Amino acid sequence: MSTIAPDYVKTDMGSIQIAPEVIEIIAGLATVEVQGVAGMSGGLAGGIAELLGRKNLSKGVKVEVGQREAAIDVSIIIEYGNRIPEVASGIQQNVKHAIESMTGLSVVEVNVHIHDVHFKQADKPVEEETATAGRVK
């Protein structure tokens, strides 16, 4: 498999090519739809996983595309409290279905890499907010 998609389908009117970036975006969107995914991970830089926003969905995705098949790697950050095997399985199924239904390619594997765990921000206690509001500086 190569990372450059060759002519995918030849029709009477010509050929149809799907750029690997299109498949990366489809995989990224299908990944973040799964409950328990905090976001895509740009990888480990200096030991810290970078949480990417919606604009960079393809940054956490690597694809290998052949004429009829694709292999996908997604790197994610999972929300704390979710069962990793269930979230990973949901990602695999969602990505496979999305790519196969939109492109006609056969997805041979979807590898899920969990790079970090995202903890929800705890709200400040009300007592702390009222205590600081009453102080005069």
Side-chain angles (χ1 to χ4, degrees), residues 37-90:
V37 175
M40 302 302 291
S41 173
L44 295 175
I48 300 172
E50 178 188 3
L51 182 63
L52 301 172
R54 287 200 172 268
K55 286 191 253 181
N56 297 319
L57 287 173
S58 65
K59 298 296 182 199
V61 181
K62 180 182 163 228
V63 301
E64 292 183 39
V65 184
Q67 285 195 327
R68 291 186 167 73
E69 296 180 335
I72 317 297
D73 285 90
V74 294
S75 299
I76 67 155
I77 297 174
I78 194 163
E79 291 176 352
Y80 178 78
N82 288 281
R83 289 188 38 108
I84 292 173
E86 289 176 8
V87 173
S89 177

Side-chain angles (χ1 to χ4, degrees), residues 55-135:
K55 286 191 253 181
N56 297 319
L57 287 173
S58 65
K59 298 296 182 199
V61 181
K62 180 182 163 228
V63 301
E64 292 183 39
V65 184
Q67 285 195 327
R68 291 186 167 73
E69 296 180 335
I72 317 297
D73 285 90
V74 294
S75 299
I76 67 155
I77 297 174
I78 194 163
E79 291 176 352
Y80 178 78
N82 288 281
R83 289 188 38 108
I84 292 173
E86 289 176 8
V87 173
S89 177
I91 291 168
Q92 289 172 323
Q93 292 170 13
N94 212 31
V95 168
K96 180 177 173 63
H97 174 72
I99 292 172
E100 287 182 348
S101 66
M102 291 181 75
T103 67
L105 290 170
S106 174
V107 176
V108 293
E109 63 183 23
V110 178
N111 301 307
V112 179
H113 306 277
I114 292 92
H115 284 256
D116 204 355
V117 177
H118 183 260
F119 298 94
K120 291 184 180 179
Q121 295 285 348
D123 294 330
K124 286 184 180 179
V126 175
E127 300 147 10
E128 183 181 320
E129 288 178 13
T130 55
T132 58
R135 275 191 234 157

